[in-house]
């Protein structure tokens, strides 16, 4: 059965958004896009620089009944460099010689195209019939500013290696400026007129779209964040003393206030220091500030301990930093000794240490009062300081350090400024998180999130699923939930969810490492922070950011302050308030989205099972259960195995994963 003829072509990102992307189209890419958009039948969907599991080809075409095509576009000037293909170790290599006569090697674009074809066929379209090889996926290399004759002369060996016959060259093409000027689609994409193929089905197209469609975060980066009246007041104003403490529940916009205030102060030509405890939160803050258009020259982003190190190095006291007892008392160094050393360095050498007009601290509940005191020493006269916090997310157990007396000594007067409305959490999750606070968190000063009066949020499709498992099932169940979660997301309209939106959170690095290893064995590229090597783990955190094209995985602690529309959480024993605060933090990372959102909690805590049973979807996964297991109660399901609900699942064509 063929798909109905569309009225308009599917283009992702939308045409009117292409010039507003953070990475604008090159001139040649625009020429090729315009040709395809103007000349191809409407059934061909166009995806520009899709994430595709971190491969990022320039253009992918998709026809639900006829096939798939992937193109690389090179704006190279062949006169500026002597490009050629040479045989090395039995394979063609791309060699260039610049105007100075120096030869160098570049990545072979034909091999990259071959990688695109094979991964699309093997990983992202598991239902694709491979009996005809790669004939269902066309690949093309286009040089918009080079003549076709030159291309075949210089790059012919690379093409011959991957397409040695005339039949193969129907599905692996090389074209240049001449074909583009003639609008010769027969040369650029020979199968452009095909209306159907026995190899291609709409179901296969559904599988692939999850990898191609633009992720939510990429579209959001082009928009200035909408702010409420209260949020704008804190972004654009300050107190008379310059000190402000701001609290609010998850989703109330605290982080956006920090990002917006940093931007506003930068526009006033003031020097700003933004500080957090977690390294990964800084990446999210920078992304958020980029949406406001912040001045990079004016804002410094550091986690607290990196700031301490910078202070000591700036004061020519690197020897003090290295003399700290890192190996014997690492926790003591991070909790007190490093902050104390930085404070002493500022007092001893104030002229050698950078000072700031404003110091903004996000996720302030992670901070110790002594850290705040150290930061105060680099505030310029008449400068300002902002402390933003949420007591419910006290995953390090530091709330009790901030007594009323400590707050007065920290420069604060009067009550907290408060943001009490959650603009991010889906409506169904707000009631569940309020129930969680009431049941499990002892701190009576915690204010649960309150629903906003934005009526459109009620219409955003949301799926909330709780899987109750035993501890030895956590890895299997988490992998299976990740594999199938995108396909299960409810949507408004026809736009599918993107795998690049998917985030996996867990309470232990060991659990995260096991899950990531399983995902990577399925061919899924993952941006994670689970390395056992502390230096590499720190580097992973520095490069962990929202715009990464891969599935993202990290600890709950490292994701504090972030948000996502498709989240899988794995949690073991929930003993103690800090562990319970971490689970609350993980649940409240979900963001409502018009395109649909989903939160799946895979939980091995018996203490939390009664709470899980209140969720819209609850499943109790049993290992080695009898074949005739009965449903225990209305709305609850006991199952022996969780299986993919759709072929649109990660690695569905290469492996399977049992949870029961």
């Amino acid at each position: 059965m063929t798909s109905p003829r569309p009225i308009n072509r599917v283009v992702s990102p939308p045409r009117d958004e292409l010039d507003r992307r953070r990475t604008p189209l090159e001139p040649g890419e625009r020429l090729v896009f315009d040709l395809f958009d103007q000349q191809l039948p409407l059934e061909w969907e166009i995806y520009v620089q899709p994430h595709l599991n971190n491969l990022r080809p320039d253009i992918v075409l998709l026809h639900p009944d006829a096939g798939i095509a992937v193109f690389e576009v090179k704006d190279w000037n062949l006169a500026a460099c002597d490009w050629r293909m040479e045989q090395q170790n039995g394979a063609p290599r791309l060699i260039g010689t610049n105007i100075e006569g120096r030869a160098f090697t570049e990545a072979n674009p034909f091999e990259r195209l071959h990688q695109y074809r094979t991964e699309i066929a093997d990983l992202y379209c598991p239902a694709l019939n491979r009996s005809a090889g790669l004939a269902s996926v066309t690949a093309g290399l286009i040089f918009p500013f080079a003549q076709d004759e030159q291309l075949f002369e210089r790059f012919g060996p690379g093409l011959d290696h991957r397409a040695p016959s005339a039949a193969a060259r129907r599905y692996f093409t090389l074209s240049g400026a001449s074909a583009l000027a003639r609008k010769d689609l027969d040369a650029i994409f020979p199968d452009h007129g095909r209306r159907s193929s026995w190899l291609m089905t709409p179901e296969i197209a559904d599988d692939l779209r999850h990898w191609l469609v633009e992720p939510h975060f990429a579209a959001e980066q082009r928009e200035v964040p909408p702010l409420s009246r209260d949020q704008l007041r804190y972004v654009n104003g300050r107190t008379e003393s310059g000190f402000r403490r701001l609290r609010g529940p998850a989703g109330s916009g605290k982080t956006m206030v920090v990002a917006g205030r940093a931007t506003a102060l930068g526009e006033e030509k003031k020097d700003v220091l933004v500080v957090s405890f977690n390294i990964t939160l800084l990446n999210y803050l920078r992304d958020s500030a980029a949406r406001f258009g912040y001045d990079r020259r004016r804002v410094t982003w550091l986690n607290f301990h990196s700031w301490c190190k910078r202070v000591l190095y700036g004061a020519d006291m690197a020897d003090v930093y290295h003399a700290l007892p890192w190996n014997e008392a690492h926790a003591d160094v991070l909790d007190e000794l490093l902050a104390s050393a930085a404070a002493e360095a500022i007092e001893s050498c104030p002229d050698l240490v950078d000072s700031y007009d404003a110091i903004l601290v996000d996720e302030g509940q992670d901070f110790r009062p002594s850290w705040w005191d150290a930061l105060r020493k680099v505030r310029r006269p008449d400068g300002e300081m902002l402390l933003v916090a949420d007591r419910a997310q006290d995953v390090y157990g530091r709330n009790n350090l901030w007594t009323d007396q400590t707050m007065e000594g920290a420069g604060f007067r009067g009550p907290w400024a408060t943001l009490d409305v959650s603009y991010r959490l889906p409506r169904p999750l707000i009631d569940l998180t309020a129930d969680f606070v009431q049941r499990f968190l002892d701190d009576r000063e915690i204010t649960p999130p309150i629903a906003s009066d934005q009526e459109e949020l009620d219409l955003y499709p949301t799926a909330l699923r709780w899987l109750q498992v035993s501890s030895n099932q956590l890895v299997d169940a988490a992998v299976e939930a990740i594999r199938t979660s995108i396909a299960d997301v409810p949507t408004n309209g026809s736009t599918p969810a993107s795998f690049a939106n998917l985030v996996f959170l867990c309470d232990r690095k060991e659990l995260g490492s096991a899950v990531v290893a399983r995902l990577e064995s399925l061919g899924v590229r993952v941006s994670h922070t689970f390395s056992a090597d502390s230096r590499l783990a720190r580097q992973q955190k520095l490069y962990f950011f929202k715009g990464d094209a891969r599935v993202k995985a990290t600890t709950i602690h490292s994701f504090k302050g972030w948000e996502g529309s498709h989240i899988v959480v794995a949690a073991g024993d929930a003993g103690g308030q800090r562990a319970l605060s971490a689970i609350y933090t993980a649940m409240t990372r979900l963001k409502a989205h018009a395109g649909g959102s989903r939160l799946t909690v895979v939980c091995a805590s018996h203490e939390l099972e009664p709470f899980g049973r209140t969720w819209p979807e609850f499943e109790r996964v049993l290992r080695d259960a009898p074949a005739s297991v009965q449903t225990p109660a209305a709305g609850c399901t006991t199952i022996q195995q969780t299986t993919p609900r759709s072929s649109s699942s990660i690695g569905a064509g290469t492996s399977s994963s049992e949870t029961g």
Side-chain angles (χ1 to χ4, degrees):
M1 180 178 178
T2 60
S3 304
R5 180 171 175 77
I7 300 175
N8 299 301
R9 185 190 310 284
V10 172
V11 177
S12 179
R15 290 180 191 84
D16 57 356
E17 298 288 325
L18 290 177
D19 293 331
R20 300 178 55 215
R21 298 167 68 252
R22 298 183 74 175
T23 306
L25 292 181
E26 297 289 340
E29 292 171 338
R30 169 60 75 173
L31 286 172
V32 174
F33 169 80
D34 288 342
L35 174 67
F36 287 153
D37 193 27
Q38 294 164 12
Q39 300 296 321
L40 287 174
L42 290 178
E43 287 86 351
W44 284 102
E45 303 168 12
I46 304 178
Y47 296 89
V48 178
Q49 296 177 355
H51 284 64
L52 197 60
N53 202 13
N54 209 37
L55 288 182
R56 302 305 291 266
D58 291 325
I59 293 178
V60 173
L61 306 177
L62 174 63
H63 190 307
D65 302 307
I68 305 160
V70 56
F71 292 90
E72 279 286 286
V73 183
K74 303 295 184 185
D75 281 25
W76 293 357
N77 177 3
L78 299 188
C81 186
D82 179 21
W83 292 107
R84 61 199 180 279
M85 305 295 299
E86 292 183 359
Q87 288 289 330
Q88 294 182 4
N89 300 322
R93 300 280 186 250
L94 179 60
I95 309 296
T97 302
N98 61 22
I99 57 176
E100 298 173 350
R102 189 177 67 220
F104 55 93
T105 303
E106 281 283 333
N108 187 337
F110 294 102
E111 296 308 300
R112 177 54 64 91
L113 282 169
H114 179 68
Q115 180 186 16
Y116 294 158
R117 296 182 78 197
T118 54
E119 287 204 14
I120 286 173
D122 293 340
L123 293 178
Y124 318 131
C125 299
L128 193 63
N129 188 334
R130 286 298 306 275
S131 62
L134 295 173
S136 56
V137 186
T138 294
L141 184 59
I142 305 174
F143 291 79
F145 305 114
Q147 296 306 310
D148 297 47
E149 297 78 8
Q150 286 183 298
L151 294 177
F152 284 98
E153 178 183 343
R154 297 195 184 193
F155 302 107
L159 180 62
D160 292 339
H161 182 70
R162 284 302 171 191
S165 66
R169 291 195 181 188
R170 181 174 184 83
Y171 305 105
F172 210 117
T173 66
L174 174 64
S175 54
S178 303
L180 207 59
R182 297 193 308 268
K183 300 182 179 180
D184 188 357
L185 283 179
D186 289 328
I188 298 170
F189 179 23
D191 266 9
H192 68 93
R194 185 185 290 275
R195 300 292 298 273
S196 62
S197 168
W198 65 275
L199 296 170
M200 190 67 188
T201 67
E203 291 72 26
I204 292 172
D206 287 341
D207 289 344
L208 186 57
R209 286 190 188 99
H210 290 292
W211 295 103
L212 298 179
V213 70
E214 184 184 34
H216 297 158
F217 58 74
E220 289 168 354
Q221 282 300 109
R222 299 191 293 271
E223 304 295 335
V224 176
L227 298 178
S228 69
R229 182 179 301 174
D230 286 340
Q231 292 165 348
L232 280 171
R233 183 168 72 251
Y234 300 134
V235 164
N236 295 323
R238 57 168 282 171
T239 63
E240 184 177 346
S241 68
F243 286 82
R244 170 172 280 150
R245 49 180 174 165
L246 174 65
R247 66 183 178 186
S252 58
K254 302 182 300 297
T255 294
M256 281 302 174
V257 168
V258 173
R261 185 62 184 153
T263 302
L265 289 165
E267 290 176 351
E268 297 174 12
K269 307 301 180 186
K270 294 184 176 179
D271 297 317
V272 184
L273 173 65
V274 180
V275 188
S276 70
F277 174 58
N278 288 327
I279 297 172
T280 49
L281 178 57
L282 293 173
N283 302 327
Y284 182 78
L285 279 162
R286 279 195 298 268
D287 275 348
S288 300
R291 297 176 62 185
F292 290 101
Y294 81 97
D295 188 341
R296 295 173 184 270
R297 299 166 298 177
R298 293 288 182 176
V299 184
T300 300
W301 313 85
L302 289 170
N303 82 302
F304 177 74
H305 295 107
S306 294
W307 171 77
C308 291
K309 181 178 180 180
R310 178 178 287 196
V311 166
L312 289 169
Y313 271 66
D316 293 331
M317 297 173 65
D319 56 331
V320 173
Y321 176 84
H322 292 288
L324 292 171
W326 292 101
N327 294 329
E328 296 83 2
H330 196 82
D332 289 344
V333 171
L334 294 179
D335 285 351
E336 293 295 345
L337 297 180
L338 183 56
S340 177
E344 291 177 9
I346 297 166
E347 292 176 356
S348 302
C349 310
D351 294 337
L352 298 180
V353 177
D354 291 333
S355 60
Y356 301 90
D357 297 300
I359 301 166
L360 316 179
V361 174
D362 198 9
E363 298 294 327
Q365 73 278 355
D366 297 343
F367 275 62
R368 291 174 168 269
S370 59
W371 300 2
W372 177 260
D373 290 341
L375 288 167
R376 288 180 66 186
K377 295 180 183 296
V378 294
R379 180 181 73 106
R380 291 174 183 165
D382 298 323
E384 66 177 88
M385 294 188 73
L386 171 66
L387 179 73
V388 171
D390 176 7
R391 293 182 67 89
Q393 298 183 55
D394 180 29
V395 299
Y396 300 107
R398 292 170 183 160
N399 275 347
N400 59 355
L401 300 177
W402 289 92
T403 63
D404 290 340
Q405 184 177 0
T406 301
M407 281 289 183
E408 280 196 30
F412 298 110
R413 299 290 185 273
W416 284 80
T418 302
L419 295 170
D420 54 8
V421 175
S422 177
Y423 298 94
R424 169 167 54 81
L425 294 182
R427 285 290 174 85
L429 187 57
I430 288 178
D431 291 339
L432 287 171
T433 53
D435 183 28
F436 188 93
V437 169
Q438 187 69 29
R439 290 186 188 221
F440 301 112
L441 300 185
D442 294 337
D443 191 337
R444 294 302 98 190
E445 292 188 40
I446 293 174
T447 303
I450 299 173
S452 76
D453 57 1
Q454 296 180 13
E455 295 181 2
E456 65 269 19
L457 291 181
D458 287 330
L459 304 177
Y460 287 178
T462 303
L464 303 173
R465 182 185 182 206
W466 188 285
L467 289 176
Q468 191 69 33
V469 301
S470 59
S471 58
N472 62 350
Q473 294 174 290
L474 264 176
V475 173
D476 288 347
V479 170
E480 192 65 22
I482 293 167
R483 291 179 65 227
T484 60
S485 62
I486 290 294
D488 288 344
V489 172
T491 61
N492 278 343
S494 58
T495 302
S498 168
F499 276 118
N501 289 328
L502 186 57
V503 177
F504 168 67
L505 304 177
C506 60
D507 56 355
R508 292 176 290 111
K509 290 181 67 173
E510 297 79 11
L511 171 60
S513 295
V515 170
V516 167
R518 289 281 300 280
L519 290 173
E520 291 181 340
S521 73
L522 297 172
V524 180
R525 295 178 179 85
V526 183
S527 171
H528 68 89
T529 63
F530 299 131
S531 175
D533 184 302
S534 60
R535 291 188 178 182
L536 181 55
R538 177 180 174 83
Q539 188 178 57
Q540 289 172 334
K541 291 177 181 179
L542 288 170
Y543 289 100
F544 188 90
F545 68 103
K546 189 167 57 170
D548 196 294
R550 296 168 288 181
V551 170
K552 285 158 277 291
T554 188
T555 60
I556 296 169
H557 295 66
S558 290
F559 207 69
K560 275 169 28 60
W562 287 58
E563 61 187 27
S565 56
H566 305 81
I567 297 176
V568 175
V569 178
D573 185 5
Q577 283 294 293
R578 289 171 60 178
L580 290 165
S581 291
I583 292 173
Y584 171 86
T585 299
M587 292 189 302
T588 57
R589 298 307 91 208
L590 190 66
K591 177 180 181 178
H593 195 278
S597 60
R598 183 176 190 87
L599 171 63
T600 301
V601 176
V602 184
C603 182
S605 168
H606 297 298
E607 178 186 1
L608 295 180
E609 182 173 344
F611 171 70
R613 288 179 176 273
T614 67
W615 279 45
E617 297 179 52
F618 175 85
E619 296 176 49
R620 193 163 186 267
V621 184
L622 300 178
R623 184 177 294 282
D624 300 324
S628 58
V629 173
Q630 300 296 316
T631 301
C636 303
T637 304
T638 299
I639 58 176
Q640 285 184 272
Q641 180 177 345
T642 301
T643 54
R645 290 164 173 74
S646 164
S647 63
S648 299
S649 57
I650 296 176
T654 56
S655 178
S656 62
S657 175
E658 287 194 354
T659 61

